[in-house]
Amino acid sequence: MKKLVFSILFVMQVFFGWAQQNATVTGKVVDSKTQKPLQSVVATVQNTNLTGLTNAAGVFVIEGVVIGKQLLKITSTGYSQQILPIELKEGQKLDLGTVVLEEDVTSEQELSLITITENDLGDDNSGSESTSGLLQASRDAYQQAAAFNWGQARFRIRGLDNEYGITMINGVVMNKIYDGRPQWGNWGGLNDATRNQEFTMGSAPSDYTFGGILGTQEINTRASIYRPGTRISFSGTNTNYSWRAMGTHASGMNSEGWAFVVSGGRRWTKEGYFEGTDYSANSLFASVEKKFNEHHSLNVTAIYAQNSRGKNSPNTKEVTDLAGVKYNSYWGWQDGRKRNSRDKDLEEPILMLNHYWKINEKNKLNSSLTYQIGRIGNSRIDNAEQTIAIDPFTNQNLGYLPDPAYYKNLPSYYTSMYNLDDYTDFQGDDPLNQANAALLKSQFLANKQINWTAMYRANAAALDGKSNYVLYEDRTDDKLITANSIFTSQLSDNISMNAGVTYRKLKSENFQNLLDLLGGSYFSDEDGFYTGNQSQPNLNNPNHIVRENERYGYNYILKADVIDAFTQFKFSYNKFDFYLAESFSSSVYQREGLYRNGLYPNNSFGESRKTNFENFGFKGGVTYKISGRQFLNFNAAHMTKAPTLRNTYNNARLNNNIVGDLENEIITSVDASYILRAPKFKGRLTAFMSRSKNGTANTFFYAEGAFEEDNEGDGSDAFVGQTTTNVSKRNIGAELGAEYQITSTIKATFAASYGEYIFDGNPTVTLTNDALASDTNTNPVTNYGEATMKDYRQAGMPQQAATFGLEYRDPKFWWIGANANYLAETYIDASPLLRTKAFFRNPADPFGLPFPEATEARARQLLKQEKFDPIRLVNLTGGKSWRIDGKTFGFFASVNNVFDVTYKTGGFEQARNANYRELNQDVSSGTPSFAPKYFYGYGRTYFVNLYIQF
């Protein structure tokens, strides 16, 4: 806090010493085609908070502009922006006359293309998407490439997950407290309504928040800033949905001070690009503003976005070779239709009240109160364990239900076999095993989808009506209240200040909800892997009989109270601009168990102790204006960040245990840029570096050979929770974006990114084995020590990318463009557990000695991180618009991955083979049962959009 106070005192001293005189700028903005005035156009003096909005006559006025040379930016959605150099003298009123804006036909791309790949990398019920959203607010060539050309391969700007960025609506943070990521689906399908955006890159200053090191995306839904008119569009595509219809109407501000915007959309398909991936989404939006006078205005925004989509499975190479890249093991036929067992259902409406107070010409206060409720559900089939199923009607052997791609259903189950009594005796090539493998191959190809009919028959055949198989969902019901205020002040001609405070209160109910008994009468709430009291999820209601739409399995509440505050001071002079910002946050978390779990009877029911994390952040930057066209920019940030709710508890579903030695994450970031803005050439070259320490991550999986053998010889196998702490990362690289106007109609663009994103240290790995829980061991955590992850690559995105594009824009309002893209250095997600010393320890050895066959050379081969093949993609885009009787008709079309290239977007190592011997045997067989699983990108896809606006 001392640093914060000293910073404020310093800038206030600067304020009193550097005040200057000012002037006024005015102008009228019109449409180039119709010559009619444009309302709600934003005119901004760059590097200041001075902004003017055009009225119904198209006129804007900006007062208090610093004398000297300035740049005036004029922007409106759907039009190409204008940047005008101006020079002001003391006391002058500069009238720019008429400013003409031309329609930006390429902006249709921003409203149409959806580059978010919706493959799930995990089955948590946070609901957040792990990929970045569209950077619609920016016209930077590099950011455009990242959003529209590289996004299909899961490219991440600077290698950063979007929990390191902030997404806001009207100054309200939309990042989830649970995992730090925004849930894009909460406003999905409302492209027209959310197109008014501002984006800051990296740690550059934002007027709304201190921000993160990835950047800030601010969506503005204030009704008066929308260009009046109506827009209707209809689209067809073959990506995650097939059809989309949208309609939007904006009234503009009338003479009585009212403005409103309404928008709605629907997206749907029976099957998306991957097999069995159904999609249905409905979205509604309304924004109403009442302007009481020149000082006060109220705006109410309501957003309702409901969507349901079927997920697609990650698959091993064996499964992909047998069934194809589009294969999805999550669906099966039922009554003549495809039914997906793993649907993600989202419905979290947002209601927001904003008060805009223009205190005077130099001071503004924007306050808001937001209430968000709703649910997120991720469904799957529940059964005690994978068992051989026999059809009671035909006596047919159906294999292991319900997962058709279960490892015992695949040929590798036999071809990877070793003699249990002699670890060197490979038996996968025995004639009998080869014959069994051939039989499994034919059975899999004949029954490679979920057999819904067999499960219904099995449940119907049960004498007591008890279902052996049911469909349930991991459910999260959130109630979130957010209150915030943002104060903006032009302290002097050269100095502006932003300050804000936000309070968020979350109550998140998490539970297992039974959706479908699949033909049975009831389901028994017990864990079939345990006996006695340990099998009871809730000792307060033992032997619970569960029916549809009832809770079972686990049931708990997560509570969070989060306070954020920041101040920011920006200074603008003829040759230098710079800024300083500070932040403080406090996060208080608590779990309340509603079930007394049989495994943890003494620490699962009731409230846990509260955890409190306090964090600070400091950042600053400077821009040196070499000339009116050339700039040097430098930014630096150092901050701490609280662990997310997701990573605070070892296993929140079962107990109140908090991760040991949990610390705030420490984040440092610097970047430096050279920027050139010439009439025909625009470019930016940036070098960047970021480091993070003390990161934490939780994952869950079944591990074989991770623990010491018990008397029966099978105690080494367990379903475990893996907690990785002290995670350190280093991201270093450079990015280049450039565009050159070859002629008045032809433009060339080039963008490139080079990164080295590595783990910068060895994290600590602990495993929680619930089977070891007891009255005396209420936190059965085993410390496996350090994992040798240093210098391993971070997974899930290309670390190198380049694109070259040509665009022809005809004066008659049609355009066509093509981009060639290269993406490389994508790595698989490596398992930390397999890189610990315990991985080499023989669990059967009484002295804990390593496996005798283990060698360093072979270990390096087994643990070498897989690098995916480079990706080469060609994309085509184009469109045309017509102006007829005051109405604009147009279309936009694109074809991505023109040559139908097959490529991996991500993948992960399976850690089921949790010791050296089991992994070595599996890999040495040549047909491993627990090989890595992969996600694949779209092949050739198209998007066609037809629209009319008037």
Side-chain angles (χ1 to χ4, degrees):
M1 292 300 292
K2 290 182 178 179
K3 292 182 179 179
L4 184 62
V5 172
F6 288 150
S7 297
I8 295 174
L9 292 175
F10 167 74
V11 296
M12 292 305 293
Q13 289 177 341
V14 175
F15 157 55
F16 287 117
W18 288 354
Q20 291 185 7
Q21 300 299 314
N22 52 44
T24 301
V25 179
T26 185
K28 180 178 181 179
V29 183
V30 300
D31 183 286
S32 64
K33 289 183 182 178
T34 64
Q35 294 299 306
K36 292 182 178 179
L38 294 176
Q39 185 178 350
S40 300
V41 175
V42 180
T44 305
V45 179
Q46 286 202 356
N47 302 309
T48 74
N49 287 324
L50 299 175
T51 298
L53 199 67
T54 60
N55 57 23
V59 176
F60 68 86
V61 178
I62 306 176
E63 297 180 341
V65 183
V66 177
I67 61 174
K69 295 181 179 179
Q70 302 284 357
L71 290 175
L72 182 69
K73 181 170 69 174
I74 300 177
T75 60
S76 181
T77 53
Y79 289 88
S80 297
Q81 70 177 18
Q82 286 263 38
I83 298 181
L84 306 174
I86 56 176
E87 186 170 0
L88 298 164
K89 299 179 181 178
E90 181 179 338
Q92 178 186 14
K93 183 175 181 179
L94 177 62
D95 188 349
L96 298 176
T98 300
V99 179
V100 178
L101 289 188
E102 293 186 355
E103 179 187 355
D104 182 7
V105 290
T106 61
S107 67
E108 192 61 28
Q109 179 180 19
E110 299 180 359
L111 291 174
S112 300
L113 291 185
I114 303 299
T115 61
I116 296 175
T117 304
E118 297 195 78
N119 294 341
D120 283 37
L121 294 182
D123 279 326
D124 63 85
N125 55 328
S126 69
S128 299
E129 302 294 348
S130 59
T131 52
S132 297
L134 298 180
L135 309 179
Q136 295 179 351
S138 172
R139 305 302 294 173
D140 180 287
Y142 175 83
Q143 294 161 353
Q144 291 286 298
F148 300 116
N149 286 295
W150 302 339
Q152 58 194 309
R154 287 186 174 272
F155 179 82
R156 297 180 192 168
I157 290 180
R158 299 184 183 178
L160 296 170
D161 188 278
N162 57 26
E163 68 173 295
Y164 293 100
I166 301 295
T167 297
M168 313 180 82
I169 297 179
N170 297 339
V172 178
V173 175
M174 291 288 112
N175 297 57
K176 290 275 187 181
I177 298 176
Y178 179 77
D179 65 358
R181 300 185 178 106
Q183 170 48 256
W184 309 105
N186 281 339
W187 53 91
L190 296 170
N191 303 46
D192 292 341
T194 59
R195 66 186 299 182
N196 297 311
Q197 299 187 20
E198 295 179 42
F199 182 80
T200 60
M201 189 74 168
S203 59
S206 166
D207 293 342
Y208 309 95
T209 182
F210 180 82
I213 60 172
L214 176 59
T216 302
Q217 188 176 20
E218 157 68 9
I219 301 171
N220 194 332
T221 65
R222 186 175 181 179
S224 61
I225 70 170
Y226 289 79
R227 183 155 51 98
T230 301
R231 176 187 171 89
I232 299 172
S233 65
F234 187 81
S235 310
T237 182
N238 66 332
T239 54
N240 53 334
Y241 58 84
S242 296
W243 308 104
R244 185 187 74 182
M246 292 195 307
T248 302
H249 175 74
S251 67
M253 185 66 73
N254 65 21
S255 59
E256 297 180 354
W258 286 95
F260 72 88
V261 181
V262 292
S263 184
R266 173 163 171 74
R267 294 163 291 162
W268 72 97
T269 188
K270 290 184 177 180
E271 183 173 65
Y273 182 83
F274 294 99
E275 296 176 359
T277 53
D278 55 303
Y279 195 102
S280 177
N282 301 290
S283 307
L284 296 171
F285 170 91
S287 179
V288 180
E289 181 178 356
K290 171 59 179 175
K291 182 179 181 181
F292 295 96
N293 50 48
E294 292 301 317
H295 296 283
H296 295 279
S297 182
L298 281 178
N299 196 98
V300 176
T301 300
I303 299 175
Y304 174 80
Q306 169 273 328
N307 61 74
S308 175
R309 64 175 178 86
K311 301 178 184 179
N312 61 289
S313 60
N315 299 315
T316 62
K317 182 179 183 299
E318 176 187 18
V319 172
T320 300
D321 289 344
L322 289 172
V325 171
K326 293 185 179 182
Y327 172 69
N328 179 13
S329 66
Y330 293 161
W331 71 272
W333 290 101
Q334 182 184 350
D335 298 330
R337 69 177 182 90
K338 293 182 177 181
R339 182 181 184 183
N340 196 309
S341 65
R342 299 205 181 185
D343 276 341
K344 176 183 175 182
D345 297 304
L346 168 69
E347 189 175 3
E348 290 189 312
I350 302 170
L351 183 63
M352 185 179 297
L353 174 66
N354 291 87
H355 175 232
Y356 300 93
W357 181 16
K358 184 178 180 181
I359 301 171
N360 52 44
E361 291 299 324
K362 295 187 177 182
N363 298 287
K364 299 176 183 178
L365 181 66
N366 297 337
S367 302
S368 68
L369 182 64
T370 304
Y371 184 51
Q372 183 174 11
I373 59 174
R375 61 184 179 88
I376 299 172
N378 289 278
S379 68
R380 63 167 61 202
I381 295 169
D382 190 2
N383 58 300
E385 58 181 314
Q386 299 277 5
T387 56
I388 287 285
I390 305 297
D391 191 317
F393 290 83
T394 64
N395 290 322
Q396 179 187 1
N397 184 331
L398 299 172
Y400 287 83
L401 290 180
D403 183 4
Y406 185 55
Y407 78 101
K408 290 184 179 181
N409 286 335
L410 299 173
S412 60
Y413 176 63
Y414 285 103
T415 59
S416 63
M417 276 192 172
Y418 274 78
N419 188 335
L420 294 178
D421 297 322
D422 183 357
Y423 67 86
T424 64
D425 184 13
F426 175 60
Q427 297 182 337
D429 55 1
D430 290 351
L432 180 58
N433 283 334
Q434 289 289 315
N436 285 332
L439 178 62
L440 282 187
K441 177 180 178 180
S442 62
Q443 288 181 347
F444 172 75
L445 293 176
N447 303 280
K448 64 179 187 291
Q449 303 306 146
I450 287 177
N451 197 328
W452 292 102
T453 301
M455 288 187 289
Y456 271 87
R457 286 179 174 178
N459 289 342
L463 296 178
D464 58 356
K466 175 185 175 182
S467 290
N468 294 310
Y469 306 93
V470 296
L471 186 72
Y472 77 96
E473 64 179 345
D474 290 312
R475 179 82 164 267
T476 298
D477 288 4
D478 281 354
K479 292 181 181 178
L480 176 65
I481 297 175
T482 304
N484 80 315
S485 287
I486 301 172
F487 178 67
T488 301
S489 178
Q490 192 71 36
L491 297 176
S492 73
D493 298 331
N494 304 91
I495 307 171
S496 64
M497 180 188 76
N498 305 103
V501 60
T502 299
Y503 171 69
R504 292 188 287 170
K505 186 176 186 63
L506 171 69
K507 180 182 179 181
S508 177
E509 298 184 41
N510 298 263
F511 55 92
Q512 208 167 315
N513 180 51
L514 200 151
L515 295 173
D516 193 340
L517 286 166
L518 303 182
S521 300
Y522 72 95
F523 188 64
S524 179
D525 188 9
E526 58 184 353
D527 191 333
F529 288 99
Y530 301 99
T531 59
N533 284 345
Q534 285 192 327
S535 69
Q536 297 295 321
N538 185 12
L539 291 175
N540 294 337
N541 184 19
N543 302 314
H544 178 210
I545 299 302
V546 191
R547 292 183 171 82
E548 291 177 4
N549 296 316
E550 289 186 355
R551 301 185 183 192
Y552 77 105
Y554 65 87
N555 190 9
Y556 63 95
I557 296 173
L558 292 177
K559 303 172 185 177
D561 289 271
V562 179
I563 299 175
D564 295 289
F566 83 99
T567 59
Q568 177 175 271
F569 298 87
K570 294 191 290 187
F571 308 84
S572 180
Y573 298 95
N574 288 335
K575 278 293 184 179
F576 287 94
D577 295 338
F578 62 95
Y579 70 93
L580 298 169
E582 308 85 16
S583 72
F584 168 78
S585 68
S586 172
S587 303
V588 179
Y589 302 151
Q590 187 176 38
R591 178 191 185 271
E592 180 183 358
L594 303 179
Y595 282 0
R596 188 160 70 95
N597 188 275
L599 292 166
Y600 300 92
N602 301 320
N603 62 325
S604 57
F605 183 70
E607 294 182 338
S608 70
R609 67 177 176 88
K610 292 183 178 180
T611 55
N612 187 11
F613 304 96
E614 292 188 348
N615 289 275
F616 297 87
F618 303 92
K619 70 177 184 179
V622 60
T623 298
Y624 172 62
K625 307 169 189 177
I626 301 173
S627 67
R629 297 178 178 181
Q630 299 183 73
F631 308 86
L632 293 177
N633 178 261
F634 176 80
N635 299 284
H638 179 79
M639 66 188 76
T640 58
K641 178 173 172 283
T644 61
L645 261 175
R646 171 192 174 102
N647 294 325
T648 298
Y649 300 92
N650 285 23
N651 188 350
R653 294 185 177 184
L654 299 184
N655 57 59
N656 288 332
N657 293 334
I658 296 170
V659 171
D661 301 322
L662 194 60
E663 298 183 44
N664 292 317
E665 188 174 2
I666 302 173
I667 303 168
T668 303
S669 173
V670 295
D671 65 66
S673 301
Y674 168 73
I675 303 165
L676 175 62
R677 296 171 183 162
K680 288 191 174 184
F681 183 85
K682 297 179 178 64
R684 174 175 63 87
L685 175 63
T686 299
F688 61 86
M689 189 277 290
S690 66
R691 288 178 182 269
S692 63
K693 298 190 297 183
N694 296 341
T696 304
N698 281 334
T699 56
F700 300 89
F701 53 87
Y702 194 87
E704 296 183 0
F707 298 93
E708 293 183 4
E709 302 278 3
D710 64 11
N711 293 333
E712 284 74 34
D714 60 358
S716 63
D717 301 345
F719 184 81
V720 301
Q722 175 184 276
T723 300
T724 311
T725 55
N726 302 318
V727 179
S728 297
K729 299 178 182 178
R730 189 197 73 192
N731 294 26
I732 188 169
E735 53 197 29
L736 170 66
E739 61 180 59
Y740 178 65
Q741 198 72 41
I742 301 173
T743 69
S744 61
T745 57
I746 299 175
K747 182 173 69 174
T749 59
F750 177 76
S753 179
Y754 179 87
E756 183 185 73
Y757 313 140
I758 63 172
F759 290 96
D760 199 30
N762 294 326
T764 301
V765 176
T766 59
L767 292 188
T768 301
N769 184 357
D770 299 321
L772 301 178
S774 65
D775 290 341
T776 58
N777 186 10
T778 59
N779 193 14
V781 173
T782 302
N783 191 330
Y784 281 73
E786 287 189 348
T788 55
M789 297 290 293
K790 182 173 173 57
D791 295 329
Y792 271 74
R793 296 295 186 114
Q794 298 172 39
M797 72 285 190
Q799 302 199 8
Q800 297 175 13
T803 185
F804 175 75
L806 287 174
E807 175 190 301
Y808 174 78
R809 186 181 302 197
D810 193 270
K812 295 183 179 180
F813 299 100
W814 65 268
W815 67 283
I816 187 171
N819 284 85
N821 304 278
Y822 175 81
L823 301 112
E825 297 295 311
T826 303
Y827 290 82
I828 201 166
D829 193 358
S831 167
L833 177 61
L834 305 187
R835 274 87 183 166
T836 62
K837 290 182 179 179
F839 171 73
F840 298 94
R841 190 183 307 129
N842 187 350
D845 189 284
F847 302 103
L849 295 176
F851 292 100
E853 71 273 22
T855 65
E856 182 178 349
R858 180 56 176 162
R860 289 184 181 277
Q861 292 176 341
L862 292 174
L863 302 178
K864 183 180 180 180
Q865 189 177 18
E866 180 182 353
K867 181 171 72 172
F868 299 158
D869 293 335
I871 307 168
R872 296 170 179 84
L873 303 174
V874 174
N875 301 329
L876 301 176
T877 57
K880 176 158 176 57
S881 66
W882 297 265
R883 189 80 173 180
I884 303 174
D885 296 330
K887 301 178 178 64
T888 299
F889 299 83
F891 76 90
F892 167 81
S894 70
V895 179
N896 277 6
N897 192 359
V898 172
F899 298 106
D900 200 21
V901 175
T902 299
Y903 61 96
K904 298 170 183 173
T905 60
F908 56 92
E909 294 177 348
Q910 295 194 71
R912 181 153 183 161
N913 291 316
N915 65 45
Y916 176 90
R917 177 171 292 170
E918 294 196 3
L919 181 62
N920 185 40
Q921 288 178 338
D922 203 26
V923 173
S924 297
S925 72
T927 56
S929 285
F930 300 110
K933 289 191 173 184
Y934 305 105
F935 290 102
Y936 289 86
Y938 294 139
R940 184 187 301 113
T941 59
Y942 67 87
F943 188 99
V944 178
N945 184 53
L946 308 174
Y947 66 93
I948 177 174
Q949 53 191 40
F950 50 92

